[in-house]
Structures are given as C-alpha cells and as structure tokens.
Amino acid sequence: MNFNELKNVKVRIADGIAWVSLNRPEKRNAMSPDLHFEMVDVLKELAEDTAVRVLVLSGEGDSWCAGQDIKLFFRDLDDKPRERHLARLANHEWRWTLLSSFPKPTIAMVNGYCFGGAFVQLFACDFAIAADEALFGLSEVNWGILPGGLVGKVIVDGLSYRDAVYYSMTGEQFNGKKASEIRLVTQSVPAAELREKTELLAHELAKKNPQTLRTIKESLRLVRGMSVDQAADYLLAKEREMRFLDTERGREQAMTQFLDEKTYRPGYGAYQRNEDAGANQPKESS
Ligand code: COA
C-alpha cells in the first residue's frame, strides 16, 4: 500500500512505531466517509507489517478528532441509504473492530479536541496520553442526538456510571487533566511533552514480547464480559495458546534466567529478549 496516496490519513513508520494521524486539520479532523474508508485499509495493512510493533493514533494540527463530519457523514448521506450503509460499516470497522483487536499495542496521543464519535477510537486504543490542554466533550446532547454509534456503550463500560451520565447529559467540556482524573486517559502531560512521553511508552512496549502483549490485550478485553468460571477457563486456554504461539519462548527464557542463570529479577523489567539481550539487566535497587 502506498501511504503517500492517502488524502485523509498520514502514516509514518520509524523505529517500530507506526505514527498514524487523521489528516483533515482544516476540519479539525472530523471523520468523513473517505477518512473511514482509508483508515480501514491503513489498519489492515499495518496489522500485518512486521516493521510495526506499536501504533500511535493522533491528529494533524491542533485537533485529535472533532467527531463525525456533520456534513459529509450525516447530512449529505441522509438521502443516500447505500452510501450511508457503506460509510457506517467502514466507520465501525476501523474504529472498533480493527482498532480494538489490533494485534499490537495501540496508543491514542490526544493532542487537541476530542469530541463525540472520537471517544470510540479513544477507548479502542490500549493506552491514551493526552495533552493537559486537550479539550474533551460528549457534545451530542448539544446537537439534539444520542451519544450513539457505540459512544454510549464505550463510555458506560469505560467510565464510572456517574461520569458517563454527567458528561453525556450536560455536554460539559473538560481538559486532559480532568480526563486523566476520571481515567478516560492513561496519563495527561503538558502539550510540549506529549510526543516525547508517547514515544517513551511506545519504545518501552516495543521492547516487550509481542505475543505476550497481544494475548494480554485480547484476554483483558474479553474477560470483562465473562462470568468468573468462563474467565478462568478462557484465561487458561489463552495461556496455553500463548505458549504454543510464542516463537521467542519468553516463559522458558524468563524461568532459565531467573532460576538457573540468576541474571534476571522480573520485578525490575522485561526478560532479556534475544534481540535485546542485556538491555534489561537486573538493577541493584528499584
Ligand atoms: N463536522 C464537520 N465540520 C466540522 C466539525 C465536525 N464535527 N468540526 C469542525 N468542523 C469544521 C467547521 O465547520 C469549520 O469548517 P469551515 O472552515 O468550512 O467553516 C472548520 O472545521 C473549523 O472549525 P471551527 O469551528 O471554525 O474551529 P474552532 O477551532 O473554532 O472550533 C471545535 C473547533 C472542534 C470546538 C468546533 O469546530 C466544534 O464545536 N465542532 C463540532 C464538534 C462536535 O460537536 N463533534 C461531535 C459531533 S456529534
């Protein structure tokens, strides 16, 4: 896929990190049908790209994403059922299906406005780092509409019920610091440090065993909807699956390093992966 041909999305891959940004800054990165179609292709491509170990989702300019494009996604499609259906499918496919099950860690780097529909991809990412100055809002109520298209579901699942109700019924805006306080994002940092902090986390994740990371994220997402008995059985099956699929044999390596070679204390960092041997030597003190 030639990323340079994309009109609504920018992709740059460096040091194992895929930097993906919505690229409609003049419309505050509001999501048009064409942006949805492009993102479906981009995520499918990056999922299988062996040069990519972590994905960062951001926005060009001073906005992360101002939600659905009110004109192109809503009003222009009102009388076009076929186009509306295809746009809705793509919209759901990349923001939820492909992103939440992306086989590598994903980080939302929230550089600015995050409104309405943008909450879906925010929750679909494994991590979210926001600028203190970023502005969040469940503004649907101000349009006379519901936080639909999965927004209502992700906020109830991901926030406290009180916060989900408060912010969706008032439409009140809040900044990155508040987003961190209510655990909508993992962390909030001054805008000037946003990229550096995101890169640090991405590099840390890129050092870890990819199969282990993949299994952890798949498992945590799915056990939320299971009973205790189902979760216990499922996690055991995933553990066995991981040992079967892990070509780096991380579990065996870690045990050898801890029990026999005495070169490793797990409390201090990741086990020494083959390509990274020595990078995580046990430290004298934590
Ligand atoms: N859909 C369509 N166009 C949008 C948009 C959206 N969700 N958000 C911004 N735009 C467009 C504006 O119409 C404007 O287009 P124009 O230059 O052709 O007039 C352009 O982006 C810049 O927006 P503007 O409002 O001038 O920028 P701002 O920096 O002053 O304000 C926002 C930014 C995001 C606060 C403001 O645009 C806004 O409230 N957008 C709607 C956000 C929203 O409620 N989204 C959820 C929808 S359910």
Side-chain angles (χ1 to χ4, degrees), residues 10-14 17-21 54 56 109 195 198-199:
K10 262 193 191 172
V11 179
R12 189 175 66 83
I13 300 173
I17 306 172
W19 297 89
V20 178
S21 50
V54 179
V56 176
M109 182 173 86
R195 174 133 185 144
T198 305
E199 211 162 352

Side-chain angles (χ1 to χ4, degrees), residues 208-217 242 246 250 271:
K208 295 191 186 295
N209 181 313
Q211 188 59 48
T212 311
L213 287 176
R214 180 175 181 169
T215 312
I216 290 173
K217 72 179 271 184
M242 188 167 68
D246 182 11
Y271 74 89

Side-chain angles (χ1 to χ4, degrees), residues 68 72 81 113 196 219 230 252:
Q68 298 290 3
L72 299 178
Y113 298 118
E196 182 196 336
S219 304
Q230 286 169 334
E252 289 78 6

Side-chain angles (χ1 to χ4, degrees), residues 24-31 62-63 65-72 74 113 115-118 135 137-140 142-143 145-146 173:
R24 302 185 69 226
E26 72 290 351
K27 299 290 180 189
R28 305 300 182 261
N29 301 318
M31 298 177 285
D62 60 2
S63 178
C65 174
Q68 298 290 3
D69 189 304
I70 303 292
K71 178 177 185 300
L72 299 178
F74 289 127
Y113 298 118
F115 283 105
L135 209 54
L138 289 163
S139 50
E140 286 88 344
N142 300 328
W143 293 94
I145 58 175
L146 276 179
Q173 294 173 355

Side-chain angles (χ1 to χ4, degrees), residues 11-167:
V11 179
R12 189 175 66 83
I13 300 173
D15 295 334
I17 306 172
W19 297 89
V20 178
S21 50
L22 306 189
N23 188 22
R24 302 185 69 226
E26 72 290 351
K27 299 290 180 189
R28 305 300 182 261
N29 301 318
M31 298 177 285
S32 63
D34 284 346
L35 182 146
H36 292 312
F37 295 132
E38 288 188 5
M39 278 302 294
V40 168
D41 293 342
V42 164
L43 291 184
K44 284 183 178 168
E45 179 81 12
L46 295 176
E48 298 305 322
D49 189 333
T50 51
V52 174
R53 300 185 73 101
V54 179
L55 182 144
V56 176
L57 181 63
S58 189
E60 291 296 306
D62 60 2
S63 178
W64 192 63
C65 174
Q68 298 290 3
D69 189 304
I70 303 292
K71 178 177 185 300
L72 299 178
F73 187 79
F74 289 127
R75 198 168 66 181
D76 286 4
L77 299 185
D78 274 351
D79 301 323
K80 297 180 183 153
R82 186 174 180 278
E83 285 86 344
R84 190 175 63 221
H85 181 63
L86 294 176
R88 282 191 189 284
L89 285 179
N91 151 66
H92 183 77
E93 188 177 11
W94 84 261
R95 292 189 310 144
W96 191 254
T97 312
L98 294 174
L99 194 55
S100 66
S101 66
F102 197 74
K104 304 154 192 192
T106 51
I107 306 173
M109 182 173 86
V110 186
N111 51 308
Y113 298 118
C114 176
F115 283 105
F119 277 60
V120 174
Q121 62 261 36
L122 183 65
F123 274 113
C125 287
D126 304 317
F127 302 85
I129 304 188
D132 292 341
E133 300 83 349
L135 209 54
F136 296 79
L138 289 163
S139 50
E140 286 88 344
V141 66
N142 300 328
W143 293 94
I145 58 175
L146 276 179
L150 264 202
V151 175
K153 172 73 175 149
V154 295
I155 58 170
V156 169
D157 285 350
L159 295 175
S160 78
Y161 186 70
R162 287 278 175 232
D163 284 328
V165 169
Y166 182 82
Y167 288 107

